Amino acid sequence: MNQVYRNKYHAGAKGLLLIVLMGVVAMASPAHAKPDKMQVCHLDAKGSFKLKDLPQGPYLGHLIHHEGDIVPVNGECVFETFEIGDTGPGGGIVFYITDGGLHGLEAAPTDQGNRQWCGYNTNIKTGADGTAVGTGAQNTIDILAGCTERPIAASTAAEYVWPNGQRDGFLPSIDELELMYYQKTVVGAKRTQYWSSTEYAPDPINRVWTQEFGPGTDGDPNDPYLSFQFNTNKGNGAEVRAVRAF
């Protein structure tokens, strides 16, 4: 029979989850969870489950022991979820959510500064051509492989140390950057141009997509500044805001 748990931990609660991972017991503090923001998930026939947003990272294992306020519930278990504007697992600001808040994107709390995208006159096509949500991380890898000059926008985002210690940020794709624009007040963005990680397809050697963060209203699909996306020379300067997925 499936064994299922509902996580009712609250900030500051005592107790630990003990998880078996390939014969190793990992401990996770409940202090990272918030009350009343939980997501239903289902265990498999062996009672296996996936935990995210713990200090040690994602896990797949079996709950073998528990202390504190964990209550068995038939048929489902519940994990922490997030809303736009919350402090995310990395300590950034959540600006996009999926799966009812279980996953999404968070932005670093502040800008990382004005950088060039790939230096002056590099004439390099990196292959960072992803535009969609979920492509920014691979774009960043491609940029770092193709552009050896440092620091640049991508290296600044990738090397950023998040408030909770992670170093897994990336330069957002143009669609991810647009989502951040929708929440520009929430993330505290400046009224300026921000780099995306997406090369401009008609001229990928020289130009990249940027988003102008204007004074429009958060979340307004008719915001005239939403269309202020420009193809910008890689040698120009623009602001960097690191993003990470959770």
Side-chain angles (χ1 to χ4, degrees):
M1 186 176 82
N2 291 2
Q3 192 173 21
V4 186
Y5 294 86
R6 181 177 295 273
N7 183 346
K8 289 189 176 180
Y9 280 143
H10 55 84
K14 296 180 179 179
L16 294 172
L17 285 176
L18 302 186
I19 307 159
V20 175
L21 301 171
M22 299 181 183
V24 177
V25 175
M27 295 185 294
S29 168
H32 292 263
K34 301 191 295 298
D36 303 324
K37 292 184 178 180
M38 296 178 174
Q39 172 68 35
V40 171
C41 65
H42 292 277
L43 305 186
D44 66 19
K46 296 182 179 180
S48 295
F49 61 96
K50 186 175 182 181
L51 291 178
K52 284 181 64 67
D53 306 329
L54 301 178
Q56 299 89 344
Y59 294 115
L60 185 64
H62 289 75
L63 184 64
I64 59 171
H65 181 67
H66 62 87
E67 299 178 60
D69 189 19
I70 300 181
V71 181
V73 176
N74 290 333
E76 59 189 33
C77 57
V78 179
F79 299 127
E80 181 182 14
T81 60
F82 296 88
E83 297 175 356
I84 290 173
D86 281 349
T87 298
I93 303 167
V94 175
F95 67 92
Y96 172 69
I97 56 173
T98 61
D99 304 319
L102 184 62
H103 301 111
L105 296 170
E106 59 181 316
T110 59
D111 295 343
Q112 282 70 67
N114 188 287
R115 297 285 188 273
Q116 294 175 318
W117 198 86
C118 194
Y120 284 115
N121 300 317
T122 51
N123 295 323
I124 293 172
K125 178 182 177 181
T126 68
D129 56 3
T131 60
V133 175
T135 60
Q138 184 60 52
N139 282 349
T140 301
I141 292 170
D142 293 339
I143 296 165
L144 295 177
C147 296
T148 57
E149 188 171 331
R150 300 289 187 272
I152 55 175
S155 67
T156 299
E159 294 168 6
Y160 172 71
V161 180
W162 290 76
N164 290 344
Q166 297 93 329
R167 297 189 64 173
D168 56 356
F170 53 88
L171 198 62
S173 70
I174 187 60
D175 286 359
E176 291 164 340
L177 187 60
E178 183 178 297
L179 290 171
M180 187 164 70
Y181 175 79
Y182 271 121
Q183 305 300 334
K184 58 188 175 295
T185 303
V186 171
V187 302
K190 300 175 184 176
R191 289 178 60 177
T192 188
Q193 278 191 336
Y194 284 82
W195 284 121
S196 82
S197 58
T198 306
E199 289 177 326
Y200 178 60
D203 185 9
I205 290 177
N206 297 299
R207 307 190 75 81
V208 180
W209 283 110
T210 57
Q211 171 78 53
E212 178 77 24
F213 277 56
T217 304
D218 282 11
D220 180 4
N222 298 313
D223 177 0
Y225 283 88
L226 185 61
S227 63
F228 278 34
Q229 294 179 345
F230 302 97
N231 62 87
T232 303
N233 189 282
K234 293 180 179 181
N236 288 0
E239 285 294 322
V240 175
R241 181 71 75 98
V243 167
R244 72 181 295 274
F246 61 88

